[in-house]
Amino acid sequence: MIPSFTIDEKVRAYIRKSGQDFRLCTSPEGPVLLPLGTADPKPSDLKILVGSNILYVSKLQAKYIKKVDWAMVEKFLNQQS
């Protein structure tokens, strides 16, 4: 499956700067971008290279999103505060 969504440059920069792999998955509040360890990838996930890191995207989520945007990161960051 070829992803039909884009990844915001601010999200790409955040992933590269963090030095971590991330997973975009579902939550009750909508899609959220989580570092691995908080959410583990599934074998069915799409793997997208962002710098030297991998962004895993739930196949289910990939069907419905048009853009991986900063709001998906903020959902996680706000939970940490």
Side-chain angles (χ1 to χ4, degrees):
M1 175 179 181
I2 297 172
S4 60
F5 55 84
T6 60
I7 304 170
D8 186 78
E9 186 52 41
K10 187 173 180 180
V11 174
R12 288 178 177 276
Y14 174 75
I15 292 171
R16 288 190 302 263
K17 185 177 178 184
S18 75
Q20 299 182 73
D21 295 336
F22 285 80
R23 183 169 190 260
L24 181 68
C25 51
T26 57
S27 79
E29 295 81 31
V32 61
L33 192 69
L34 302 171
L36 290 194
T38 304
D40 294 323
K42 294 183 179 179
S44 60
D45 285 352
L46 302 176
K47 296 178 188 174
I48 301 168
L49 195 60
V50 179
S52 59
N53 302 100
I54 298 173
L55 170 59
Y56 295 90
V57 179
S58 159
K59 242 184 193 177
L60 174 66
Q61 200 56 257
K63 291 188 234 180
Y64 300 104
I65 60 171
K66 294 186 180 175
K67 185 175 190 176
V68 178
D69 60 23
W70 188 248
M72 296 173 186
V73 175
E74 286 180 324
K75 286 178 187 170
F76 170 71
L77 295 176
N78 290 338
Q79 292 174 356
Q80 300 302 302
S81 302

